[in-house]
Amino acid sequence: MKRLSFILLSILLVILSACGNDSKNANTDASEKKKKESKSTEAVVGDLDKINLEVSLDSLKSQPAGTLMEHLTFEEDVKEVNHQAPELDPELKKVLPEKLKALTDSTKDLEELKKSLLKLLASPHYKEVIEKAERYEPPFEEPYLPDPTKSTDGKKTESPQKAIILLDASSSMLLNSGGRMKMDIAKDAVKSFAQTIGQSSDVSLVVYGHKGSEADSDKELSCKGMEEVYPMGKYVKEDFHKAVDSFESKGWTPLAGAIQKASEMSSNYDKGTTIYVVSDGAETCDGDPVQASKQLAKNGKNTVNIIGFDVDAKTENQLKDVAAAGNGKYFSANNPEELKNTIQYEWLPSTMDLTWAFTMAPIGFEVSNEFKNAEEFPRKLWYISRRELFRLDDAFSIMKEKKMLTDKQLEKLENWRMDRHDELLELSREMEEINRNKTKAQADEISKKIEDWVEKMKKLKEERGDKW
């Protein structure tokens, strides 16, 4: 009997121990679950100080990316979206209900709900798109308006009907001047020069020194590498700029060969031709540029003008002799500003046809087309805000379906969403207007400069006895 009692007691102790362990395990599991839920809730509703419900450029730029939106690329976020809501991302669709449940379980405070929804779903690209919109500047080029009253000798220069620009692209143009590569400086200057002289002359651009390299093995290739990259004809801005940007500095300096090429070209023209040379170096291809220049100018109608750009004394002496042999002028430019001023005030014709001066200003369709660029990033601001608002709609639908909030609470959130929608639309329109005004203001300013210049030239011509 005692033995039976002992066995029963042992069995009872085992059962009680098992129950205790089960209870302990259950308590542990419940505690762990509670910790996880608490952590999840904290991740949704915690750290809301950085979330600003105000709709302004500053608040949007400082808006943290939604924790569920970090995967969203800029390209995807700025795609055009109008009234049709895009499909909710499958991954977001999978995790959003759980996050919303944690949120609504932890708070029913309206302000906390709004901030927490933005913490989850706000676009990560407000700062980038707004800063790009703010950096917009119209790209219209400032016209070069030559003023003969600033010329060093005060003489008028008749505009040539044919103009050949010879541009040195030898390896020395890879050096820096004033913090920029000399080739880039020269290209910018030539673009501006051609824009103005092209109003009254046919233009050609010949480049030399852009073939091969400065190595001895490439000398023959480089010295024979003269190329007319813009054929003689009417100036067309887009085509001329494309021609100027089509080559880089590389090799030797066949100055004589380039002048000879210009001489061959001009022999086919009925009237005189003016050659404009921009160079930073002397002849290195064993040619005789002085003789070549003399040969070009022997008909009495052609001239060779040269700008020596940041050259040494020996080179300058050779270039002066070349210009003199070509019945032209030599000008020295020791830095980028001098190069610009020399081209602007010495080479450009002072008696160009003022009737066509207005074509240097941005005209109607150019301004209208530029409006599209001005509006690009303000419009993208609207697109990313629309996507964000549609995500909020999806969140409201989930909360309504799962009865996470009352109808009245949801109505208040939806009213906030509509107000935010209107404020973001107004903000994007304000940015569009600011950028359109920038475009119009610059176009008007350029037009006014040209009008004032034309009037000044008319008066000057009248003072000198020229008929307008």
Side-chain angles (χ1 to χ4, degrees):
M1 189 67 178
K2 288 182 180 180
R3 180 177 177 80
L4 179 60
S5 298
F6 177 77
I7 292 171
L8 290 173
L9 180 61
S10 298
I11 292 171
L12 179 62
L13 289 173
V14 169
I15 291 171
L16 289 174
S17 176
C19 289
N21 286 337
D22 288 345
S23 175
K24 184 178 180 182
N25 290 338
N27 289 336
T28 301
D29 290 344
S31 176
E32 287 300 319
K33 183 178 180 182
K34 193 170 183 180
K35 282 182 182 178
K36 286 182 180 178
E37 288 176 352
S38 175
K39 192 172 182 181
S40 175
T41 299
E42 184 181 346
V44 176
V45 299
D47 194 24
L48 297 181
D49 293 341
K50 296 179 181 178
I51 309 298
N52 189 341
L53 295 177
E54 178 190 4
V55 176
S56 68
L57 295 180
D58 288 339
S59 66
L60 290 173
K61 283 193 288 188
S62 62
Q63 170 72 54
T67 55
L68 301 180
M69 292 293 105
E70 293 173 350
H71 68 284
L72 186 61
T73 66
F74 181 82
E75 291 71 21
E76 184 181 354
D77 204 13
V78 299
K79 283 181 183 175
E80 183 174 357
V81 57
N82 293 310
H83 302 294
Q84 185 72 31
E87 182 112 14
L88 191 62
D89 179 81
E91 288 299 315
L92 182 58
K93 194 172 184 178
K94 191 184 300 182
V95 300
L96 187 55
E98 178 189 340
K99 296 291 184 182
L100 294 175
K101 178 72 165 57
L103 167 60
T104 53
D105 283 349
S106 65
T107 183
K108 296 295 189 288
D109 180 81
L110 192 61
E111 296 303 297
E112 286 189 353
L113 287 170
K114 293 175 186 176
K115 289 185 175 183
S116 298
L117 286 166
L118 291 180
K119 183 180 178 182
L120 291 172
L121 301 172
S123 168
H125 301 116
Y126 278 123
K127 179 178 173 64
E128 183 176 357
V129 78
I130 289 172
E131 288 182 345
K132 285 184 175 180
E134 289 176 328
R135 285 197 297 268
Y136 168 77
E137 291 296 336
F140 302 131
E141 290 184 11
E142 283 287 326
Y144 270 15
L145 304 175
D147 186 344
T149 62
K150 297 181 181 180
S151 176
T152 54
D153 57 12
K155 295 179 182 178
K156 296 188 297 180
T157 303
E158 292 299 327
S159 173
Q161 292 187 347
K162 302 284 186 184
I164 300 176
I165 303 170
L166 301 182
L167 182 55
D168 180 0
S170 60
S171 60
S172 57
M173 292 290 272
L174 293 170
L175 300 175
N176 281 353
S177 178
R180 290 183 65 203
M181 190 166 70
K182 291 163 78 172
M183 187 77 262
D184 291 339
I185 297 166
K187 283 183 175 183
D188 286 348
V190 166
K191 285 177 182 177
S192 297
F193 172 51
Q195 179 182 355
T196 305
I197 201 172
Q199 306 302 316
S200 55
S201 302
D202 285 343
V203 178
S204 169
L205 175 63
V206 174
V207 61
Y208 61 93
H210 66 303
K211 301 286 187 181
S213 70
E214 60 185 342
D216 290 343
S217 58
D218 276 343
K219 181 175 180 179
E220 183 177 0
L221 171 64
S222 187
C223 290
K224 290 181 179 179
M226 285 73 68
E227 182 180 2
E228 186 181 22
V229 293
Y230 189 87
M232 178 64 73
K234 183 179 179 181
Y235 170 79
V236 179
K237 178 179 175 180
E238 183 178 352
D239 294 342
F240 191 87
H241 283 206
K242 190 180 296 184
V244 174
D245 293 332
S246 67
F247 57 86
E248 300 298 334
S249 299
K250 289 185 178 179
W252 297 63
T253 309
L255 178 58
I259 295 173
Q260 287 167 4
K261 181 174 180 64
S263 181
E264 292 166 7
M265 291 166 58
S266 65
S267 66
N268 298 319
Y269 307 147
D270 295 333
K271 295 188 177 180
T273 304
T274 301
I275 314 300
Y276 299 94
V277 183
V278 180
S279 178
D280 77 330
E283 170 75 33
T284 61
C285 288
D286 307 319
D288 187 344
V290 174
Q291 182 59 35
S293 184
K294 186 180 297 184
Q295 183 68 24
L296 183 145
K298 71 177 183 179
N299 63 6
K301 297 188 296 182
N302 299 337
T303 56
V304 178
N305 296 314
I306 297 180
I307 287 184
F309 181 28
D310 196 14
V311 299
D312 58 32
K314 182 178 179 181
T315 300
E316 183 170 66
N317 287 335
Q318 185 189 70
L319 295 178
K320 283 180 178 179
D321 290 342
V322 173
N327 295 326
K329 294 181 179 180
Y330 173 81
F331 304 98
S332 175
N334 294 320
N335 54 59
E337 190 63 25
E338 285 186 10
L339 179 63
K340 174 183 172 182
N341 290 338
T342 299
I343 284 181
Q344 183 172 358
Y345 298 134
E346 300 289 358
W347 278 12
L348 299 184
S350 63
T351 56
M352 63 185 299
D353 189 355
L354 300 181
T355 304
W356 296 101
F358 72 91
T359 62
M360 291 187 287
I363 57 179
F365 76 89
E366 290 178 302
V367 177
S368 298
N369 287 341
E370 188 52 36
F371 278 162
K372 295 175 185 176
N373 295 327
E375 295 167 357
E376 178 186 0
F377 286 102
R379 192 73 53 85
K380 287 178 176 177
L381 169 62
W382 172 234
Y383 293 154
I384 67 174
S385 66
R386 288 283 287 173
R387 289 180 185 279
E388 181 183 281
L389 294 168
F390 283 135
R391 290 194 293 272
L392 289 173
D393 280 346
D394 289 326
F396 297 157
S397 296
I398 293 170
M399 289 190 288
K400 185 173 186 179
E401 180 187 349
K402 304 290 185 183
K403 300 188 184 304
M404 298 178 186
L405 295 174
T406 66
D407 289 344
K408 189 163 186 176
Q409 289 168 330
L410 281 169
E411 182 183 357
K412 289 181 179 179
L413 286 177
E414 286 168 350
N415 288 338
W416 162 68
R417 178 260 189 221
M418 288 303 299
D419 290 341
R420 185 174 174 85
H421 170 278
D422 294 341
E423 290 171 359
L424 284 164
L425 176 59
E426 183 61 28
L427 192 63
S428 66
R429 285 176 173 170
E430 286 175 5
M431 295 201 78
E432 284 182 0
E433 186 66 19
I434 289 170
N435 285 355
R436 278 198 301 269
N437 288 339
K438 281 184 182 179
T439 301
K440 188 175 183 306
Q442 190 183 83
D444 289 346
E445 182 182 353
I446 291 173
S447 295
K448 183 67 167 59
K449 284 181 181 178
I450 293 172
E451 288 172 10
D452 292 345
W453 175 76
V454 167
E455 288 304 310
K456 182 176 180 179
M457 293 301 104
K458 285 182 183 179
K459 290 179 182 178
L460 186 60
K461 289 168 77 69
E462 289 171 359
E463 289 171 3
R464 293 180 173 182
D466 294 342
K467 290 183 180 180
W468 167 243

